[in-house]
Coordinates of all heavy atoms in Angstrom, one line a residue:
M1 N 0.3 -10.7 -3.0 CA -0.1 -9.8 -1.9 C -1.6 -9.6 -1.9 O -2.3 -9.7 -0.9 CB 0.6 -8.5 -2.0 CG 0.3 -7.5 -0.9 SD 1.2 -6.0 -0.8 CE 0.7 -5.2 -2.3
M2 N -2.2 -9.4 -3.1 CA -3.6 -9.1 -3.2 C -4.4 -10.4 -3.4 O -5.1 -10.6 -4.4 CB -4.0 -8.1 -4.2 CG -3.4 -6.7 -4.1 SD -4.2 -5.8 -2.7 CE -5.6 -5.2 -3.6
S3 N -4.3 -11.4 -2.5 CA -5.0 -12.6 -2.6 C -6.5 -12.4 -2.4 O -6.9 -11.4 -1.8 CB -4.5 -13.7 -1.7 OG -4.7 -13.3 -0.3
D4 N -7.3 -13.3 -2.8 CA -8.7 -13.2 -2.7 C -9.3 -13.1 -1.3 O -10.2 -12.6 -1.0 CB -9.5 -14.3 -3.4 CG -9.3 -14.2 -5.0 OD1 -9.1 -13.1 -5.5 OD2 -9.5 -15.2 -5.7
D5 N -8.5 -13.8 -0.4 CA -8.9 -13.8 1.0 C -8.3 -12.7 1.8 O -8.4 -12.7 3.1 CB -8.7 -15.2 1.6 CG -7.3 -15.6 1.7 OD1 -6.4 -15.0 1.0 OD2 -6.9 -16.5 2.5
A6 N -7.4 -11.9 1.3 CA -6.8 -10.8 2.0 C -7.8 -9.8 2.5 O -8.9 -9.6 1.9 CB -5.8 -10.1 1.2
I7 N -7.6 -9.2 3.7 CA -8.5 -8.2 4.2 C -7.8 -6.9 3.8 O -6.6 -6.6 4.1 CB -8.6 -8.3 5.7 CG1 -9.3 -9.6 6.1 CG2 -9.3 -7.0 6.3 CD1 -9.3 -9.9 7.6
I8 N -8.6 -6.0 3.1 CA -8.1 -4.7 2.8 C -8.6 -3.7 3.8 O -9.8 -3.6 3.9 CB -8.6 -4.3 1.4 CG1 -8.2 -5.4 0.3 CG2 -8.1 -2.9 1.0 CD1 -8.8 -5.2 -1.0
L9 N -7.7 -3.1 4.6 CA -8.1 -2.3 5.7 C -7.8 -0.9 5.4 O -6.7 -0.4 5.1 CB -7.2 -2.7 6.9 CG -7.6 -2.2 8.2 CD1 -8.9 -2.7 8.6 CD2 -6.6 -2.6 9.3
D10 N -8.9 -0.1 5.4 CA -8.9 1.4 5.2 C -8.8 2.0 6.6 O -9.7 1.8 7.4 CB -10.2 1.8 4.5 CG -10.2 3.2 4.1 OD1 -9.7 4.1 4.8 OD2 -10.7 3.5 3.0
V11 N -7.8 2.8 6.9 CA -7.6 3.4 8.2 C -7.9 4.9 8.2 O -7.5 5.6 9.1 CB -6.2 3.1 8.8 CG1 -6.1 1.6 9.0 CG2 -5.1 3.6 7.9
R12 N -8.7 5.3 7.2 CA -9.1 6.8 7.2 C -10.4 6.9 8.0 O -10.8 6.1 8.7 CB -9.3 7.2 5.7 CG -8.1 7.0 4.9 CD -8.3 7.3 3.4 NE -9.4 6.4 2.9 CZ -10.3 6.7 1.9 NH1 -10.2 7.9 1.4 NH2 -11.2 5.8 1.5
T13 N -10.9 8.2 8.0 CA -12.1 8.5 8.7 C -13.3 8.0 8.0 O -13.2 7.7 6.7 CB -12.3 10.0 8.9 OG1 -12.5 10.6 7.6 CG2 -11.0 10.6 9.6
P14 N -14.5 7.8 8.7 CA -15.7 7.4 8.0 C -16.1 8.3 6.8 O -16.5 7.9 5.8 CB -16.8 7.4 9.1 CG -16.0 7.1 10.3 CD -14.7 7.9 10.1
K15 N -15.9 9.6 7.0 CA -16.2 10.6 5.9 C -15.3 10.4 4.7 O -15.8 10.3 3.6 CB -16.0 12.0 6.5 CG -16.3 13.1 5.4 CD -16.2 14.5 6.0 CE -16.6 15.6 5.1 NZ -15.8 15.8 4.0
E16 N -14.0 10.1 4.9 CA -13.1 9.9 3.8 C -13.5 8.6 3.1 O -13.4 8.5 1.9 CB -11.7 9.7 4.3 CG -11.0 11.0 4.7 CD -9.6 10.8 5.3 OE1 -9.5 10.1 6.4 OE2 -8.7 11.5 4.8
Y17 N -13.8 7.6 3.9 CA -14.2 6.3 3.4 C -15.4 6.4 2.4 O -15.5 5.9 1.3 CB -14.5 5.3 4.5 CG -14.9 3.9 4.0 CD1 -13.9 3.0 3.8 CD2 -16.2 3.5 3.9 CE1 -14.2 1.7 3.4 CE2 -16.5 2.2 3.6 CZ -15.5 1.3 3.3 OH -15.8 0.0 2.9
D18 N -16.4 7.2 2.9 CA -17.6 7.4 2.1 C -17.4 8.2 0.8 O -18.0 7.9 -0.2 CB -18.7 8.1 2.9 CG -19.3 7.3 4.0 OD1 -19.2 6.1 3.9 OD2 -20.0 7.9 4.9
E19 N -16.4 9.0 0.8 CA -16.0 9.8 -0.4 C -15.4 8.9 -1.5 O -15.4 9.3 -2.6 CB -15.2 10.9 0.0 CG -15.9 12.0 0.8 CD -14.9 13.1 1.4 OE1 -13.7 12.9 1.3 OE2 -15.5 14.1 1.9
G20 N -14.9 7.8 -1.1 CA -14.2 6.9 -2.0 C -13.3 5.9 -1.4 O -12.5 6.3 -0.6
H21 N -13.5 4.6 -1.6 CA -12.6 3.6 -1.0 C -12.4 2.4 -1.9 O -13.1 2.3 -3.0 CB -13.3 3.1 0.3 CG -14.6 2.5 0.1 ND1 -15.8 3.3 0.2 CD2 -15.1 1.2 -0.1 CE1 -16.9 2.6 0.0 NE2 -16.5 1.3 -0.2
I22 N -11.4 1.6 -1.7 CA -11.1 0.5 -2.5 C -12.3 -0.5 -2.3 O -12.7 -0.8 -1.1 CB -9.8 -0.2 -2.1 CG1 -8.6 0.8 -2.4 CG2 -9.5 -1.5 -2.8 CD1 -7.3 0.4 -2.0
A23 N -12.7 -1.2 -3.3 CA -13.9 -2.1 -3.3 C -13.5 -3.2 -2.3 O -12.4 -3.7 -2.2 CB -14.1 -2.8 -4.7
N24 N -14.5 -3.6 -1.5 CA -14.4 -4.6 -0.5 C -13.5 -4.3 0.7 O -13.1 -5.3 1.5 CB -14.0 -6.0 -1.1 CG -15.0 -6.4 -2.1 OD1 -16.2 -6.4 -2.0 ND2 -14.5 -6.8 -3.3
S25 N -13.1 -3.1 0.8 CA -12.2 -2.8 2.0 C -13.1 -2.7 3.3 O -14.3 -2.4 3.2 CB -11.5 -1.5 1.7 OG -12.4 -0.4 1.6
V26 N -12.4 -2.8 4.4 CA -13.0 -2.8 5.7 C -12.5 -1.4 6.3 O -11.3 -1.2 6.4 CB -12.6 -4.0 6.6 CG1 -13.2 -3.8 8.0 CG2 -13.1 -5.2 6.0
L27 N -13.4 -0.6 6.9 CA -13.0 0.6 7.5 C -12.7 0.4 8.9 O -13.5 -0.2 9.7 CB -14.2 1.6 7.4 CG -14.0 2.9 8.1 CD1 -12.8 3.7 7.6 CD2 -15.3 3.7 8.1
L28 N -11.6 0.8 9.3 CA -11.1 0.8 10.7 C -10.2 2.0 10.9 O -9.0 1.9 10.7 CB -10.4 -0.5 11.1 CG -10.0 -0.6 12.6 CD1 -11.2 -0.5 13.6 CD2 -9.2 -1.9 12.9
P29 N -10.8 3.1 11.3 CA -10.0 4.4 11.4 C -8.7 4.1 12.2 O -8.8 3.4 13.3 CB -11.0 5.4 12.1 CG -12.3 4.9 11.7 CD -12.2 3.4 11.7
D30 N -7.7 4.8 11.9 CA -6.4 4.6 12.6 C -6.5 4.9 14.1 O -5.9 4.3 14.9 CB -5.3 5.5 12.0 CG -5.6 7.0 12.1 OD1 -6.7 7.4 12.0 OD2 -4.6 7.7 12.4
Y31 N -7.4 5.8 14.5 CA -7.5 6.1 15.9 C -8.3 5.0 16.7 O -8.4 5.1 17.9 CB -8.3 7.5 16.1 CG -9.6 7.7 15.4 CD1 -10.7 7.2 15.9 CD2 -9.5 8.3 14.1 CE1 -11.9 7.3 15.2 CE2 -10.7 8.5 13.4 CZ -11.9 8.0 14.0 OH -13.1 8.2 13.3
E32 N -8.8 4.0 16.0 CA -9.5 2.9 16.6 C -8.6 1.6 16.5 O -9.1 0.5 17.1 CB -10.8 2.6 16.0 CG -11.8 3.7 16.3 CD -13.2 3.5 15.7 OE1 -13.4 2.4 15.0 OE2 -14.1 4.3 15.9
I33 N -7.5 1.6 15.9 CA -6.7 0.4 15.6 C -6.3 -0.3 17.0 O -6.6 -1.5 17.1 CB -5.3 0.7 14.9 CG1 -5.6 1.1 13.4 CG2 -4.4 -0.4 14.9 CD1 -6.0 -0.1 12.5
K34 N -5.8 0.4 17.9 CA -5.3 -0.2 19.2 C -6.5 -0.9 19.9 O -6.3 -1.9 20.5 CB -4.8 0.9 20.1 CG -3.4 1.4 19.6 CD -2.8 2.4 20.4 CE -1.5 2.9 19.9 NZ -0.9 4.0 20.6
D35 N -7.7 -0.3 19.9 CA -8.8 -0.9 20.6 C -9.6 -1.9 19.9 O -10.2 -2.8 20.5 CB -9.8 0.2 21.1 CG -9.1 1.2 22.0 OD1 -8.3 0.8 22.8 OD2 -9.5 2.4 22.0
M36 N -9.6 -1.8 18.5 CA -10.6 -2.6 17.8 C -10.0 -3.7 16.8 O -10.6 -4.6 16.3 CB -11.5 -1.7 16.9 CG -12.3 -0.8 17.8 SD -13.5 -1.7 18.9 CE -14.5 -2.6 17.6
V37 N -8.6 -3.5 16.5 CA -8.1 -4.4 15.4 C -8.3 -5.9 15.7 O -8.6 -6.7 14.8 CB -6.7 -4.1 15.0 CG1 -5.7 -4.5 16.1 CG2 -6.3 -4.6 13.7
E38 N -8.0 -6.3 17.0 CA -8.2 -7.7 17.3 C -9.6 -8.2 17.2 O -9.9 -9.5 17.0 CB -7.6 -8.0 18.7 CG -6.0 -7.9 18.6 CD -5.4 -8.1 20.0 OE1 -6.0 -7.5 21.0 OE2 -4.5 -8.8 20.1
T39 N -10.6 -7.4 17.3 CA -12.0 -7.7 17.1 C -12.3 -7.8 15.6 O -13.0 -8.8 15.2 CB -12.9 -6.7 17.7 OG1 -12.6 -6.6 19.1 CG2 -14.4 -7.0 17.6
V40 N -11.8 -6.9 14.8 CA -12.0 -6.9 13.4 C -11.3 -8.0 12.7 O -11.8 -8.6 11.8 CB -11.7 -5.5 12.8 CG1 -11.9 -5.5 11.3 CG2 -12.6 -4.4 13.5
I41 N -10.0 -8.2 13.1 CA -9.1 -9.2 12.5 C -8.6 -10.1 13.6 O -7.5 -9.8 14.1 CB -8.0 -8.6 11.6 CG1 -8.6 -7.6 10.6 CG2 -7.2 -9.6 10.9 CD1 -7.6 -6.6 10.0
A42 N -9.3 -11.1 13.9 CA -8.9 -12.0 15.0 C -7.7 -12.9 14.6 O -6.8 -13.1 15.5 CB -10.1 -12.9 15.4
D43 N -7.6 -13.3 13.4 CA -6.5 -14.2 13.0 C -5.3 -13.4 12.6 O -5.3 -12.7 11.6 CB -6.9 -15.0 11.8 CG -5.9 -16.0 11.3 OD1 -4.7 -16.0 11.8 OD2 -6.1 -16.7 10.3
K44 N -4.3 -13.4 13.5 CA -3.1 -12.6 13.3 C -2.2 -13.1 12.1 O -1.2 -12.5 11.8 CB -2.3 -12.5 14.5 CG -3.0 -11.7 15.6 CD -2.2 -11.5 16.9 CE -3.0 -10.5 17.8 NZ -2.2 -10.2 19.0
N45 N -2.5 -14.3 11.5 CA -1.8 -14.8 10.4 C -2.5 -14.5 9.1 O -2.1 -14.8 8.0 CB -1.6 -16.3 10.5 CG -0.7 -16.6 11.7 OD1 0.4 -16.0 11.8 ND2 -1.1 -17.5 12.5
H46 N -3.6 -13.8 9.2 CA -4.4 -13.4 7.9 C -3.7 -12.3 7.2 O -3.1 -11.5 7.8 CB -5.8 -13.0 8.3 CG -6.8 -13.1 7.3 ND1 -7.7 -14.1 7.2 CD2 -7.0 -12.3 6.1 CE1 -8.5 -14.0 6.2 NE2 -8.1 -12.9 5.5
T47 N -3.7 -12.4 5.9 CA -3.1 -11.3 5.1 C -3.9 -10.0 5.2 O -5.1 -10.1 4.9 CB -3.0 -11.8 3.6 OG1 -2.2 -12.9 3.6 CG2 -2.3 -10.7 2.8
V48 N -3.3 -8.9 5.6 CA -3.9 -7.7 5.8 C -3.2 -6.7 4.9 O -1.9 -6.5 5.0 CB -3.9 -7.2 7.3 CG1 -4.6 -5.9 7.4 CG2 -4.5 -8.3 8.1
I49 N -4.0 -5.9 4.1 CA -3.4 -4.9 3.2 C -4.0 -3.6 3.8 O -5.2 -3.4 3.8 CB -3.8 -5.1 1.8 CG1 -3.2 -6.4 1.3 CG2 -3.4 -4.0 0.9 CD1 -3.8 -7.0 0.1
V50 N -3.1 -2.6 4.1 CA -3.6 -1.4 4.8 C -3.3 -0.2 3.9 O -2.2 -0.1 3.2 CB -2.7 -1.2 6.1 CG1 -3.3 0.0 6.9 CG2 -2.8 -2.5 7.0
Y51 N -4.3 0.7 3.9 CA -4.1 2.0 3.1 C -4.8 3.1 3.9 O -5.7 2.9 4.7 CB -4.5 1.8 1.7 CG -6.0 1.9 1.5 CD1 -6.7 3.0 1.2 CD2 -6.8 0.7 1.6 CE1 -8.1 3.1 1.0 CE2 -8.2 0.7 1.5 CZ -8.8 1.9 1.2 OH -10.2 1.9 1.0
C52 N -4.4 4.3 3.4 CA -5.1 5.6 4.0 C -5.2 6.5 2.8 O -5.4 6.1 1.6 CB -4.3 6.1 5.2 SG -2.6 6.7 4.8
R53 N -5.0 7.8 3.0 CA -5.1 8.8 2.0 C -3.8 9.0 1.3 O -3.7 8.9 0.1 CB -5.6 10.1 2.5 CG -5.8 11.2 1.4 CD -6.2 12.6 1.9 NE -5.3 13.1 2.9 CZ -4.1 13.7 2.7 NH1 -3.7 13.8 1.4 NH2 -3.4 14.2 3.6
S54 N -2.7 9.2 2.1 CA -1.4 9.5 1.5 C -0.3 8.5 1.9 O 0.8 8.6 1.3 CB -1.0 10.9 1.9 OG -0.8 11.1 3.3
G55 N -0.6 7.7 3.0 CA 0.5 6.7 3.4 C 1.0 6.9 4.8 O 1.5 5.9 5.3
A56 N 0.8 8.0 5.4 CA 1.3 8.2 6.8 C 0.5 7.3 7.8 O 1.1 6.6 8.6 CB 1.2 9.6 7.2
R57 N -0.8 7.4 7.8 CA -1.6 6.7 8.8 C -1.5 5.2 8.5 O -1.4 4.4 9.5 CB -3.1 7.1 8.7 CG -3.3 8.5 9.2 CD -4.7 9.0 9.1 NE -4.9 9.4 7.7 CZ -6.1 9.8 7.2 NH1 -7.2 9.9 8.0 NH2 -6.2 10.2 6.0
S58 N -1.5 4.8 7.3 CA -1.3 3.3 7.0 C 0.0 2.8 7.5 O 0.1 1.6 8.0 CB -1.6 3.0 5.5 OG -0.6 3.6 4.7
K59 N 1.0 3.5 7.3 CA 2.4 3.1 7.8 C 2.3 2.9 9.3 O 2.8 1.9 9.7 CB 3.4 4.2 7.4 CG 4.8 3.9 7.9 CD 5.8 5.0 7.5 CE 7.2 4.7 7.9 NZ 7.4 4.8 9.3
N60 N 1.8 3.9 10.0 CA 1.7 3.7 11.5 C 0.8 2.5 11.9 O 1.2 1.8 12.8 CB 1.2 5.0 12.1 CG 2.2 6.1 12.0 OD1 3.4 5.9 11.9 ND2 1.7 7.4 12.0
A61 N -0.3 2.4 11.2 CA -1.2 1.3 11.6 C -0.6 0.0 11.3 O -0.6 -1.0 12.1 CB -2.5 1.4 10.8
A62 N 0.1 -0.2 10.1 CA 0.8 -1.4 9.8 C 1.9 -1.8 10.8 O 2.0 -2.9 11.2 CB 1.4 -1.4 8.4
E63 N 2.7 -0.7 11.1 CA 3.7 -0.9 12.2 C 3.1 -1.4 13.5 O 3.6 -2.3 14.1 CB 4.6 0.3 12.3 CG 5.5 0.5 11.1 CD 6.2 1.9 11.2 OE1 6.0 2.6 12.2 OE2 7.0 2.2 10.3
Y64 N 2.1 -0.8 13.9 CA 1.5 -1.2 15.1 C 0.9 -2.6 15.1 O 1.1 -3.4 16.0 CB 0.3 -0.2 15.5 CG -0.3 -0.5 16.8 CD1 0.4 -0.2 18.0 CD2 -1.5 -1.2 16.9 CE1 -0.2 -0.5 19.2 CE2 -2.1 -1.5 18.2 CZ -1.4 -1.2 19.3 OH -2.0 -1.6 20.5
M65 N 0.3 -3.0 14.0 CA -0.2 -4.3 13.9 C 0.9 -5.4 13.9 O 0.7 -6.4 14.5 CB -1.0 -4.5 12.6 CG -2.3 -3.7 12.6 SD -3.3 -3.8 11.0 CE -3.7 -5.5 11.0
I66 N 2.0 -5.1 13.3 CA 3.2 -6.0 13.3 C 3.6 -6.1 14.7 O 4.0 -7.2 15.2 CB 4.3 -5.5 12.4 CG1 3.7 -5.7 10.9 CG2 5.5 -6.3 12.6 CD1 4.6 -5.0 9.9
E67 N 3.7 -5.0 15.4 CA 4.1 -5.1 16.9 C 3.2 -5.9 17.7 O 3.6 -6.6 18.7 CB 4.2 -3.7 17.5 CG 5.3 -2.8 17.0 CD 5.3 -1.3 17.5 OE1 4.5 -1.0 18.4 OE2 6.0 -0.5 16.9
M68 N 1.9 -5.9 17.3 CA 0.9 -6.7 18.0 C 0.9 -8.2 17.7 O 0.2 -9.0 18.2 CB -0.5 -6.2 17.7 CG -0.8 -4.8 18.3 SD -2.5 -4.3 17.9 CE -3.5 -5.6 18.8
G69 N 1.7 -8.5 16.7 CA 1.9 -9.9 16.3 C 1.2 -10.4 15.1 O 1.3 -11.5 14.7
Y70 N 0.7 -9.4 14.3 CA 0.2 -9.7 12.9 C 1.4 -10.0 12.0 O 2.4 -9.3 12.1 CB -0.7 -8.6 12.4 CG -2.0 -8.5 13.1 CD1 -2.1 -7.8 14.3 CD2 -3.1 -9.2 12.6 CE1 -3.4 -7.7 15.0 CE2 -4.3 -9.1 13.3 CZ -4.4 -8.4 14.5 OH -5.7 -8.4 15.1
T71 N 1.3 -11.2 11.3 CA 2.5 -11.7 10.6 C 2.5 -11.3 9.1 O 3.6 -11.3 8.5 CB 2.5 -13.2 10.7 OG1 1.3 -13.8 10.1 CG2 2.6 -13.6 12.1
T72 N 1.4 -11.0 8.5 CA 1.4 -10.7 7.1 C 0.6 -9.4 6.8 O -0.5 -9.4 6.4 CB 0.7 -11.9 6.3 OG1 1.2 -13.1 6.8 CG2 1.0 -11.8 4.8
V73 N 1.3 -8.3 7.0 CA 0.7 -7.0 6.9 C 1.4 -6.2 5.8 O 2.7 -6.1 5.9 CB 0.7 -6.2 8.2 CG1 0.1 -4.8 8.1 CG2 0.1 -7.0 9.4
F74 N 0.7 -5.7 4.9 CA 1.3 -4.9 3.8 C 0.8 -3.5 3.8 O -0.5 -3.4 3.8 CB 1.1 -5.6 2.4 CG 1.7 -6.9 2.3 CD1 0.9 -8.1 2.5 CD2 3.0 -7.1 2.0 CE1 1.5 -9.3 2.5 CE2 3.5 -8.4 1.8 CZ 2.8 -9.5 2.1
D75 N 1.6 -2.5 3.8 CA 1.2 -1.1 3.7 C 1.3 -0.7 2.2 O 2.4 -0.7 1.7 CB 2.1 -0.2 4.6 CG 1.8 1.2 4.4 OD1 0.7 1.6 3.9 OD2 2.7 2.0 4.8
I76 N 0.2 -0.4 1.6 CA 0.2 0.0 0.2 C 0.1 1.5 0.0 O 0.1 2.1 -1.1 CB -0.8 -0.7 -0.7 CG1 -2.3 -0.3 -0.2 CG2 -0.6 -2.2 -0.7 CD1 -3.3 -0.8 -1.2
G77 N 0.2 2.2 1.2 CA 0.3 3.7 1.1 C -1.1 4.3 0.9 O -2.0 3.9 1.6
G78 N -1.2 5.3 0.0 CA -2.4 6.1 -0.1 C -3.3 5.7 -1.2 O -2.8 5.3 -2.3
I79 N -4.6 5.9 -1.0 CA -5.6 5.7 -2.1 C -5.3 6.6 -3.3 O -5.7 6.3 -4.3 CB -7.0 5.8 -1.5 CG1 -8.0 5.3 -2.5 CG2 -7.3 7.3 -1.2 CD1 -9.4 5.1 -1.9
T80 N -4.6 7.6 -3.0 CA -4.3 8.6 -4.1 C -3.4 7.9 -5.2 O -3.4 8.4 -6.3 CB -3.5 9.9 -3.6 OG1 -2.4 9.5 -2.9 CG2 -4.4 10.7 -2.7
D81 N -2.7 6.8 -4.8 CA -1.8 6.1 -5.7 C -2.5 4.9 -6.3 O -2.0 4.2 -7.2 CB -0.5 5.7 -5.0 CG 0.3 6.8 -4.6 OD1 0.3 7.8 -5.3 OD2 0.9 6.7 -3.5
W82 N -3.7 4.5 -5.8 CA -4.4 3.3 -6.2 C -5.0 3.5 -7.7 O -5.6 4.5 -8.0 CB -5.6 3.1 -5.3 CG -6.4 1.9 -5.6 CD1 -7.7 1.9 -6.1 CD2 -6.1 0.5 -5.4 NE1 -8.1 0.6 -6.3 CE2 -7.2 -0.3 -5.8 CE3 -4.9 -0.1 -4.9 CZ2 -7.2 -1.7 -5.7 CZ3 -4.9 -1.5 -4.8 CH2 -6.0 -2.2 -5.2
E83 N -4.7 2.5 -8.5 CA -5.1 2.6 -9.9 C -6.3 1.7 -10.2 O -6.8 1.7 -11.3 CB -3.9 2.1 -10.8 CG -2.7 3.1 -10.7 CD -1.6 2.7 -11.6 OE1 -1.7 1.7 -12.4 OE2 -0.5 3.3 -11.5
G84 N -6.8 1.0 -9.2 CA -8.0 0.1 -9.4 C -9.3 0.9 -9.1 O -9.3 2.1 -9.1
E85 N -10.4 0.1 -9.0 CA -11.7 0.7 -8.8 C -11.8 1.4 -7.5 O -11.3 1.0 -6.5 CB -12.7 -0.5 -8.9 CG -14.1 0.0 -8.6 CD -15.1 -1.1 -8.6 OE1 -14.7 -2.3 -8.7 OE2 -16.3 -0.8 -8.4
I86 N -12.5 2.5 -7.5 CA -12.8 3.3 -6.3 C -14.4 3.3 -6.2 O -15.1 3.6 -7.1 CB -12.3 4.7 -6.4 CG1 -10.8 4.8 -6.6 CG2 -12.8 5.6 -5.2 CD1 -10.0 4.4 -5.4
V87 N -14.9 2.9 -5.0 CA -16.3 2.8 -4.7 C -16.6 4.1 -3.9 O -15.9 4.4 -2.9 CB -16.7 1.6 -3.9 CG1 -18.1 1.6 -3.6 CG2 -16.3 0.3 -4.7
R88 N -17.7 4.8 -4.3 CA -18.2 6.0 -3.6 C -19.5 5.7 -3.0 O -20.4 5.2 -3.7 CB -18.1 7.1 -4.5 CG -16.8 7.6 -4.9 CD -16.7 8.7 -5.9 NE -15.4 9.3 -6.1 CZ -14.5 8.7 -6.8 NH1 -14.6 7.5 -7.3 NH2 -13.3 9.3 -6.9
N89 N -19.7 6.1 -1.7 CA -21.0 5.9 -1.1 C -21.8 7.2 -1.3 O -21.2 8.3 -1.3 CB -20.9 5.7 0.4 CG -20.2 4.3 0.7 OD1 -20.1 3.5 -0.1 ND2 -19.9 4.2 1.9
P90 N -23.1 7.0 -1.6 CA -23.9 8.3 -1.9 C -24.1 9.1 -0.6 O -23.9 8.8 0.4 CB -25.2 7.7 -2.2 CG -25.3 6.2 -1.9 CD -23.8 5.8 -1.7

């Protein structure tokens, strides 16, 4: 699931993202998914790993992406469960 070419999609707010995010993740707030996901991730066969704070927003975003035709979408839930590196913006 966590291949080197997978896109890690953070669907939280910009403020939450700055407070701490998974390294190399791309910010696309859940409220922008419908309008922007095809611009951010054009290839619907690309592996996408989605997360948020606790899992609710990522679940909804992943389900919406699958409905849009994305074929390899994994919802890993919340960053609160992440055991890897967390990057914080100053």
Side-chain angles (χ1 to χ4, degrees):
M1 180 171 70
M2 295 290 278
S3 67
D4 289 339
D5 65 339
I7 295 173
I8 304 170
L9 191 63
D10 185 324
V11 297
R12 300 174 301 147
T13 66
K15 182 178 186 290
E16 289 173 304
Y17 184 84
D18 288 345
E19 290 171 353
H21 57 273
I22 295 173
N24 301 313
S25 61
V26 175
L27 175 64
L28 181 60
D30 65 321
Y31 52 83
E32 294 182 354
I33 289 285
K34 291 180 181 178
D35 296 329
M36 297 297 299
V37 72
E38 291 177 311
T39 301
V40 175
I41 307 170
D43 180 358
K44 291 187 177 184
N45 294 311
H46 203 100
T47 300
V48 182
I49 299 160
V50 186
Y51 76 95
C52 64
R53 183 184 56 80
S54 64
R57 290 176 282 180
S58 62
K59 178 181 182 288
N60 292 335
E63 287 175 355
Y64 182 76
M65 290 177 68
I66 291 166
E67 288 174 13
M68 290 183 65
Y70 287 86
T71 60
T72 315
V73 180
F74 299 96
D75 172 19
I76 61 168
I79 195 169
T80 55
D81 298 323
W82 181 251
E83 295 180 6
E85 176 185 1
I86 302 289
V87 177
R88 288 176 173 74
N89 293 346

